[in-house]
Amino acid sequence: MSTPSNRWLNDIQWDEQGLVPVIAQDANTGEVLMFAWMNREALTLTAEKGEAVYWSRSRRKLWHKGEESGHFQKVLDIRVDCDKDVVLLKIEQVGGMACHTGRRSCFYFRHTAEGEWEAADPVIKDPKEIYK
């Protein structure tokens, strides 16, 4: 039976693996910083902690963003799209970078006229200095 405190989770359209796609967006600038996945537990923890917790599909475990790097995401607002199958987090990115490559955003590539991907944004910090 659903309680009033968790009923909103039942409205999410979870996929066949029990996941929902999540977009992390800078609350001040509107810049999209990253895309990830959440399961029910990750979304519950995100709402409770006020910090982003994702589900790592490759590691098959919960991943508290910033637990290794210190680059936490303070969640200011949680939204869902009209079909309730995509979650949008309005966040404050602690440490200025969201990407494991040491860049502000995971969306740092741009397509060039020569048909190749070119890095458009600089590395803020060498990942070897971030992850031990």
Side-chain angles (χ1 to χ4, degrees), residues 23-34 54 72-77 88-98 104-105 107:
I23 299 165
Q25 180 183 45
D26 185 292
N28 291 322
T29 67
E31 179 183 15
V32 174
L33 298 178
M34 60 178 278
Y54 299 106
F72 296 95
Q73 292 178 338
K74 292 182 183 177
V75 176
L76 306 179
D77 195 12
L88 174 68
L89 301 181
K90 299 271 192 165
I91 60 129
E92 176 188 324
Q93 181 63 55
V94 175
M97 63 190 89
R104 171 147 174 81
S105 171
F107 296 95

Side-chain angles (χ1 to χ4, degrees), residues 63-80:
W63 156 46
H64 184 182
K65 177 69 174 158
E67 65 191 351
E68 290 182 40
S69 66
H71 303 136
F72 296 95
Q73 292 178 338
K74 292 182 183 177
V75 176
L76 306 179
D77 195 12
I78 300 174
R79 298 185 182 194
V80 67

Side-chain angles (χ1 to χ4, degrees), residues 68-71 97-104 108 122-132:
E68 290 182 40
S69 66
H71 303 136
M97 63 190 89
C99 187
H100 74 281
T101 66
R103 291 176 173 87
R104 171 147 174 81
Y108 62 87
V123 173
I124 298 169
K125 190 170 186 178
D126 186 333
K128 292 176 189 156
E129 296 176 29
I130 301 170
Y131 302 99
K132 307 294 182 231

Side-chain angles (χ1 to χ4, degrees), residues 7 11 16 21 46-47 65 81 97 101 111 118 122 130-131:
R7 199 172 23 222
D11 290 337
E16 56 280 350
T46 296
K65 177 69 174 158
D81 75 332
M97 63 190 89
T101 66
H111 188 263
E118 178 182 294
I130 301 170
Y131 302 99

